[in-house]
């Protein structure tokens, strides 16, 4: 799979742009703030139907404009697909595949998988459990539409249950039977999500360990653990927490409280790992992400590397480039503020590399 061409209109700092890519390596060079990352985000948006960096779609529109659109041609197998994403402020987001609009954006997830490695990715290690759940949900959702649908439905029921708990407090009444209806739905859907996450962790753990060993000069052992309320009698746990739910006016038990633990020698890496160890673990997570999707779908995801050479030392860059040279990946997009460095790194690989200079939203 590869992205043959990309067109942008009013997307971030690009008023209008049409660009044709190499099916192997594409390097976007230019000063910081010129728009290199925005191009990667446009590719990510086409594949995932949302920005990797902006939580609200309206933030993707060029300043002063009330719409943006993206258009891409993607080659998958022996077929060429045309993908369009667009937003008019105040209207529903439009997503079309081969000129046919989707009813729901979620139907598109997983058709054209992508893996992004960006500077702010360390948040998944340093921040709370919500970031880690979101990270792993994003991976699994690219390989299972059923999982994504369950996740959407679970969050919908959770929102309804929390709203009911607030109504109980505001109106000073309690309906145990009504609350139990929502609880039963959370248990049923949550059990399916739990089973998928548990199986996923078993498959994903050795991939992380393999890549960490390759990327790190250290000999320490790393691990990935999954903790969930569903590992016990979940119905009894909901019952035990009912009074707490009523007091706090939110659901305190369920799949939305799951935790993924990143460990090194039995300790949490965010507390005891050095900066280099955390960096190696993060890249291992991302490369495991790539491997997992390829194994599950037989499609090599597009790999987006944002400003990665500034974040990795020479040893890790060398290891990563060895993987690139060995054809471990498919199409790759790289951003770099130092073109001479990129040219030197890619010189020895022997693959087709296309360089683009980005200057204030324009390419050459």
């Amino acid at each position: 799979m590869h992205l043959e061409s990309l067109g942008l209109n009013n997307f971030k700092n690009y008023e209008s742009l049409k660009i044709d890519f190499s099916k192997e390596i594409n390097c976007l060079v230019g000063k910081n703030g010129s728009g290199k990352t925005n191009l990667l985000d446009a590719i990510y948006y086409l594949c995932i139907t949302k920005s990797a960096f902006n939580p609200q779609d309206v933030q993707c529109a060029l300043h002063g404009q009330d719409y943006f659109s993206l258009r891409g041609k993607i080659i998958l197998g022996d077929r060429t697909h045309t993908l369009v994403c667009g937003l008019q402020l105040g209207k529903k987001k439009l997503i079309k595949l081969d000129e046919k609009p989707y009813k729901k954006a979620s139907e598109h997830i997983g058709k054209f998988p992508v893996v992004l490695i960006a500077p702010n990715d360390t948040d998944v290690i340093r921040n709370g459990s919500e970031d880690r759940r979101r990270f792993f949900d994003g991976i699994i959702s690219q390989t299972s539409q059923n999982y994504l649908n369950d996740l959407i439905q679970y969050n919908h029921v959770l929102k309804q249950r929390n709203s009911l708990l607030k109504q109980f407090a505001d109106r000073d009444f309690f309906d145990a039977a009504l609350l139990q209806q929502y609880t039963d739905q959370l248990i049923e859907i949550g059990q399916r999500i739990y089973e998928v996450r548990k199986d996923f962790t078993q498959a994903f753990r050795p991939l992380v360990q393999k890549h960490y060993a390759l990327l790190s000069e250290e000999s320490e052992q790393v691990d990935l653990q999954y903790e969930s309320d569903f590992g016990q009698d979940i119905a009894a746990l909901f019952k035990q927490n009912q009074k707490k739910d009523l007091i706090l006016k939110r659901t305190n038990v369920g799949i939305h409280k799951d935790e993924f633990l990143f460990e090194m020698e039995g300790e949490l890496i965010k507390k005891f790992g050095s900066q280099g160890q955390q960096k190696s673990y993060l890249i291992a997570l991302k490369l495991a992400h790539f491997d997992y999707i390829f194994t599950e779908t037989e499609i090599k995801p597009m790999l987006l590397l944002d400003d990665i050479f500034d974040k990795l030392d020479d040893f890790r860059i060398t290891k990563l480039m060895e993987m690139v040279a060995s054809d471990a990946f498919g199409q790759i997009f790289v951003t770099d503020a130092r073109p001479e460095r990129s040219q030197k790194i890619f010189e020895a690989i022997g693959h087709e590399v296309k360089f683009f200079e980005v200057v204030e939203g324009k390419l050459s």
Side-chain angles (χ1 to χ4, degrees), residues 44 73 182 191 208 268 332 353:
Y44 186 90
K73 277 193 174 182
Y182 291 106
Q191 186 66 41
V208 174
L268 290 178
I332 300 174
V353 183

Side-chain angles (χ1 to χ4, degrees), residues 216-234:
S216 175
E217 293 180 288
E218 307 291 341
S219 58
E220 66 273 357
Q221 295 295 310
V222 296
D223 204 355
L224 168 64
Q225 301 290 342
Y226 170 47
E227 293 183 348
S228 176
D229 291 334
F230 279 76
Q232 53 190 300
D233 187 340
I234 189 64

Side-chain angles (χ1 to χ4, degrees), residues 325-343:
S326 68
D327 292 324
F329 305 120
Q331 189 180 29
I332 300 174
F333 297 85
V334 183
T335 68
D336 192 6
R338 293 164 52 192
E340 70 285 350
R341 172 176 56 187
S342 297
Q343 289 168 354

Side-chain angles (χ1 to χ4, degrees), residues 180 183-184 187 230 232-241:
Q180 190 62 43
T183 301
D184 290 343
I187 291 174
F230 279 76
Q232 53 190 300
D233 187 340
I234 189 64
L237 196 59
F238 263 102
K239 194 169 184 179
Q240 292 169 17
N241 278 267

